[in-house]
Amino acid sequence: MTELGLGVATLEHEPTGRTDPDAVDATLAASGDASAFERLYRTHVPKVYGLVRRMLSDDDVDEVAQDIFVRAWQKLGTFRGEAAFGTWLHRLAVNVILARRETLGTRRKRYVEGDMVLETVPSRRATPEMSMDFEAAMERLPDGAREVFVLHDVEGYRHEEIAQMLGLATGTSKSQLHRARMALRQHLER
Amino acid sequence: MLFALLTGTLALSPIVQADTTLNAVRGQRLDVNAYAGEVTVHAWNRNAVRIVASGADQDQLEISSSATAISIRTHGRHGPPDEITLQISAPAWIAISMGGVNTNAKIEGIRAPISVETVEGEVDVTGGESLISLRSVQGSVRLRGAKGRINVNSVNEDVEVANSSGDIAAQTVNGEILLQGVNASSVDANTVNGDISYSGPIRSGGRYALSTHNGDLTLTVPEGTSAGVTVSTFSGDFESEFPVPLRGTRKGKGFNFTLGSGSAQVTLESFQGTIQLVRPGSEEDPARRKREHDRDHDED
Amino acid sequence: MTQDPWTNRLSEYLDGELPEWERHALESHLESCAECSLVVSDLRRVVRRARTLKNPPPVTDLWPGIAARIGAGIPKAQDVVDLDAQRRVRRQWAFSLPQLAAAGIALMTVSGGAVWFMSGAARQSVVSAPVPSSPPESTPAVSVAMKPNASQSYAAAVADLERVLADGRGKLDTTTVRIIEQNLAAIDRAIAEAQRALDADSANLYLNTHLAETMRRKLDLLRQAAALVPVS
């Protein structure tokens, strides 16, 4: 059963200001309430799954997404509520993803210099869902450029943060982002 | 009137009236904490903050300046401070953080982040850039001419955003949400007991989510709008001033339709109210009704 | 393609990362360079597209695997929400739309009972109504509405916050207390109405989501109110 004593104490001394709708569930989950953690999972799995899918080009997206939530459960005790739970989870997800990419052995050179040419995206059947072509084009970016593009333009991290996460110079992060954007501009709907 | 140009900490003894001006340096923000009363901030073109205060003499007004902030706070000697009136002139570049309990806040002309929280007062802001967060429990919240990430929140009264751009999150429980002349690529408007109306461009790739339990939704749809629209209701109605490509309706259920190429994403939800699509300038357009109302009540 | 020397600076310009003097110089250049202006416009659209990418949840529900790994136990059969059944229900409803369209009439009911009939020419421009989208990202609704354990947790959280408010109401202005109680009552009524509707149509995605969002509004308001209580 949930140890509500800890939850109550935390709630009573909650500082004023912004309310994180997940904070109650995070508090309950940290006390061992798996139902609360499941609610957090259901709330955040679409965004986490999207991040994994876009950052990793291998087939184990489901496995990595599971790893992220298992890690989050293990680390709940370190969640202090200074940021929103979603922000904390997202950062943890990025760390898990980056750790995985390191364990996959040697990779080809990630940060391609020179012009970047995407393979021609095969024409798809007419669909009102325009972002499918765009997502397909993203998948064809070189790994490094795709990672920077996803972290910056899709997920909203700053170059300084990305550089630290990926072990790059800030200037490299900026140039990779620009190259990715220039390559993707051809795949916007007209 | 007595001016004092000061830097550093300045604590005034109990006052009836005070007029103080401090230098302001870029990088400083303005923090105002007035428990009760009226706080007005106007932008001016000086790199200084002028505070004109008037109120009961039990109030203690503390004004201080540090490297990061110019702070104005009221203290009560015995219990909460009495009401005070603060008229503040500040540079347009200064970010403002304001808090109070029974405090009405009015801010004009600031081109910087603004955050206001009050419990019983009203919030009225013209301006604001980058990050604007306005909250009241009992009072209405009005914002005009802002640009950036906008978060406006009341509990018991209306929330209004006009002639602003950026990403907008608007929430109340017992009030209306009026979004007029807004140019937003992301809108999230949510109330329980009130109507919601939105008029402004529906931008390609934008996301617009309007949701109420007991109220009506009115969305003004300019010609040529390209959006995938999802309508959800339990026992409400759906109306449109123009034909929409519906394949079938079921009252009390949801349905989707597409305007143009369906580029934007529009979600309209009312549990038991009417969801209505109107054209700009039509009789049902809330923006037109407001203009006519204002014109009819203009006594000048 | 001619490589304009400014081209490589356009992303930094878009992101507001150029020093002021360089930004002014580039903006002067953009006034006379249609190609760079087009690139800036395209890059802006790329960024907007990136920000509006959809995030559908995984096709396979990952929760059972996660639950097993964290030692939460295997959910009992009656507690498990059959997401496949949910999807089948939604697909059935979606299939009914083309069936209606096959009747050759597009209908829309206006208040008062008037009906628009689309002309043949207008019908040709109709795009197929998309299948109802995947559950919105913030949807704990299914588990909230259908799992007794989750409801108990929610009730416990609400009870905690209500206790904080009850203990602290003497420290709040009476008008504030009244306003908060009125609005909590309004939300409770909305929750009750949504729950009754859901009881009659438990697979309705909108009702599930709406109930969860309304319950979350109650938690938000309770937390906001609890935060008003001065800490003594």
Side-chain angles (χ1 to χ4, degrees):
Chain A
M1 194 59 191
T2 310
E3 290 182 28
L4 290 178
L6 175 62
V8 169
T10 305
L11 290 168
E12 279 179 346
H13 297 292
E14 197 71 27
T16 59
R18 313 294 173 264
T19 56
D20 174 11
D22 294 323
V24 171
D25 279 342
T27 304
L28 295 170
S31 309
D33 185 339
S35 297
F37 189 65
E38 184 184 354
R39 287 197 294 277
L40 293 170
Y41 159 79
R42 298 226 178 263
T43 300
H44 293 285
V45 70
K47 196 159 160 94
V48 168
Y49 195 78
L51 175 66
V52 177
R53 183 170 50 84
R54 292 178 185 121
M55 288 283 284
L56 295 177
S57 54
D58 59 38
D59 294 326
D60 295 327
V61 179
D62 283 10
E63 181 187 316
V64 175
Q66 272 202 18
D67 287 346
I68 288 167
F69 282 96
V70 171
R71 190 93 179 116
W73 171 264
Q74 292 165 345
K75 288 287 187 183
L76 268 173
T78 67
F79 174 60
R80 297 270 173 261
E82 285 146 355
F85 175 80
T87 306
W88 176 86
L89 175 66
H90 199 267
R91 191 56 193 254
L92 183 147
V94 171
N95 289 340
V96 170
I97 291 166
L98 294 180
R100 177 177 178 83
R101 105 202 214 289
E102 294 303 324
T103 64
L104 287 177
T106 56
R107 304 293 297 272
R108 63 184 182 283
K109 189 172 177 198
R110 307 184 70 83
Y111 302 104
V112 175
E113 301 303 317
D115 290 336
M116 203 180 296
V117 178
L118 300 181
E119 295 169 29
T120 305
V121 176
S123 63
R124 293 174 178 269
R125 66 187 184 283
T127 167
E129 184 49 78
M130 292 300 182
S131 69
M132 287 177 72
D133 280 326
F134 192 81
E135 291 253 32
M138 280 171 61
E139 280 178 36
R140 286 161 171 76
L141 289 170
D143 290 346
R146 187 183 68 254
E147 287 166 358
V148 172
F149 179 77
V150 169
L151 289 172
H152 189 279
D153 280 358
V154 180
E155 303 296 340
Y157 286 97
R158 297 190 318 270
H159 282 297
E160 292 75 18
E161 295 171 311
I162 295 169
Q164 193 182 29
M165 285 191 270
L166 301 182
L168 303 175
T170 311
T172 306
S173 178
K174 290 183 181 180
S175 66
Q176 290 298 309
L177 175 67
H178 180 66
R179 290 173 194 279
R181 286 174 174 176
M182 290 294 282
L184 289 170
R185 66 184 273 248
Q186 302 162 40
H187 297 277
L188 296 165
E189 73 278 12
R190 295 289 168 199
Chain B
M1 220 163 329
L2 183 66
F3 287 96
L5 275 166
L6 296 164
T7 55
T9 302
L10 170 71
L12 301 182
S13 50
I15 49 161
V16 174
Q17 191 159 2
D19 190 338
T20 309
T21 302
L22 285 81
N23 284 337
V25 176
R26 283 197 184 252
Q28 284 184 310
R29 68 175 185 277
L30 178 61
D31 284 343
V32 182
N33 250 285
Y35 183 88
E38 309 278 333
V39 179
T40 307
V41 180
H42 288 283
W44 66 354
N45 59 5
R46 293 179 56 186
N47 287 332
V49 173
R50 180 185 178 192
I51 305 117
V52 177
S54 56
D57 57 7
Q58 286 94 343
D59 289 346
Q60 244 181 335
L61 180 66
E62 182 183 290
I63 302 173
S64 62
S65 177
S66 69
T68 54
I70 293 172
S71 291
I72 305 163
R73 300 174 60 86
T74 60
H75 290 288
R77 284 205 217 153
H78 306 289
D82 288 339
E83 288 193 13
I84 194 168
T85 299
L86 293 173
Q87 304 228 352
I88 301 170
S89 304
W93 51 257
I94 202 164
I96 295 179
S97 172
M98 192 182 298
V101 176
N102 196 357
T103 314
N104 292 319
K106 184 167 179 170
I107 301 174
E108 291 182 346
I110 298 295
R111 312 298 328 166
I114 297 175
S115 166
V116 179
E117 282 200 42
T118 180
V119 177
E120 299 179 25
E122 295 185 349
V123 181
D124 188 336
V125 173
T126 304
E129 273 185 21
S130 175
L131 215 63
I132 303 106
S133 171
L134 311 177
R135 302 168 70 91
S136 174
V137 175
Q138 292 170 218
S140 63
V141 175
R142 285 194 168 72
L143 175 67
R144 287 170 299 280
K147 192 163 59 175
R149 191 171 292 181
I150 294 168
N151 200 311
V152 285
N153 192 308
S154 174
V155 174
N156 203 44
E157 292 290 343
D158 299 341
V159 164
E160 186 181 323
V161 179
N163 303 327
S164 300
S165 62
D167 295 341
I168 300 176
Q171 199 174 71
T172 181
V173 176
N174 195 35
E176 292 184 351
I177 298 177
L178 296 125
L179 306 173
Q180 286 183 2
V182 296
N183 190 352
S185 53
S186 166
V187 173
D188 191 342
N190 184 299
T191 179
V192 177
N193 265 356
D195 300 338
I196 301 178
S197 65
Y198 176 89
S199 70
I202 295 174
R203 291 165 59 171
S204 175
R207 295 176 62 166
Y208 305 84
L210 313 181
S211 172
T212 175
H213 184 85
N214 264 338
D216 298 333
L217 285 185
T218 305
L219 179 71
T220 305
V221 183
E223 297 264 4
T225 292
S226 173
V229 182
T230 301
V231 174
S232 300
T233 178
F234 172 66
S235 58
D237 284 325
F238 175 73
E239 303 174 358
S240 175
E241 287 190 341
F242 52 91
V244 296
L246 283 184
R247 292 298 178 118
T249 65
R250 291 166 67 178
K251 178 165 172 152
K253 301 294 181 185
F255 49 83
N256 301 340
F257 58 87
T258 303
L259 302 173
S261 64
S263 168
Q265 211 177 21
V266 175
T267 307
L268 307 174
E269 298 178 343
S270 173
F271 185 79
Q272 53 198 17
T274 300
I275 298 173
Q276 189 181 33
L277 304 186
V278 302
R279 285 294 193 210
S282 79
E283 284 189 6
E284 293 298 316
D285 179 8
R288 172 176 164 170
R289 290 213 300 264
K290 184 171 191 320
R291 280 197 301 274
E292 288 170 350
H293 175 271
D294 291 346
R295 187 191 62 216
D296 292 345
H297 289 79
D298 184 355
E299 295 180 7
D300 290 331
Chain C
M1 191 191 305
T2 310
Q3 178 72 345
D4 186 302
W6 280 111
T7 305
N8 287 338
R9 308 293 276 159
L10 293 178
S11 278
E12 288 179 83
Y13 165 69
L14 198 63
D15 297 336
E17 289 169 356
L18 289 182
E20 200 165 323
W21 68 267
E22 205 169 351
R23 181 173 59 80
H24 285 312
L26 176 51
E27 283 174 348
S28 296
H29 173 73
L30 287 175
E31 283 171 10
S32 57
C33 179
E35 189 172 329
C36 284
S37 296
L38 177 63
V39 173
V40 169
S41 171
D42 281 351
L43 294 185
R44 206 169 266 133
R45 290 173 65 208
V46 167
V47 173
R48 268 208 301 272
R49 171 61 69 220
R51 286 184 189 153
T52 58
L53 289 176
K54 292 181 170 48
N55 286 315
V59 172
T60 308
D61 184 12
L62 304 178
W63 177 251
I66 295 167
R69 287 171 66 180
I70 67 174
I74 310 297
K76 298 197 197 65
Q78 65 269 26
D79 289 345
V80 172
V81 172
D82 187 346
L83 291 176
D84 281 340
Q86 295 281 316
R87 280 191 284 271
R88 280 196 298 274
V89 169
R90 290 201 295 277
R91 276 200 294 275
Q92 285 164 8
W93 181 70
F95 289 153
S96 72
L97 296 178
Q99 289 169 1
L100 288 170
I105 300 171
L107 292 176
M108 185 192 62
T109 305
V110 188
S111 63
V115 169
W116 290 87
F117 287 88
M118 290 184 67
S119 66
R123 271 208 301 281
Q124 283 172 17
S125 67
V126 162
V127 176
S128 301
V131 173
S133 57
S134 306
E137 291 178 34
S138 57
T139 313
V142 172
S143 56
V144 169
M146 302 184 68
K147 285 178 69 76
N149 287 342
S151 295
Q152 287 167 0
S153 295
Y154 170 83
V158 165
D160 287 340
L161 289 163
E162 286 176 340
R163 190 160 56 245
V164 168
L165 263 183
D167 291 346
R169 68 185 286 143
K171 301 177 190 171
L172 290 173
D173 179 80
T174 52
T175 306
T176 302
V177 171
R178 179 174 53 81
I179 294 288
I180 289 169
E181 287 177 345
Q182 282 175 355
N183 282 280
L184 284 170
I187 296 176
D188 280 339
R189 280 194 298 276
I191 289 173
E193 287 167 356
Q195 185 67 71
R196 277 197 296 276
L198 191 59
D199 287 344
D201 187 2
S202 61
N204 186 307
L205 178 64
Y206 161 64
L207 291 176
N208 270 287
T209 311
H210 183 65
L211 174 61
E213 282 303 315
T214 313
M215 291 167 81
R216 184 171 287 191
R217 291 301 306 274
K218 178 166 181 174
L219 265 183
D220 283 349
L221 181 54
L222 281 169
R223 288 176 53 77
Q224 190 177 358
L228 295 175
V229 176
V231 178
S232 49

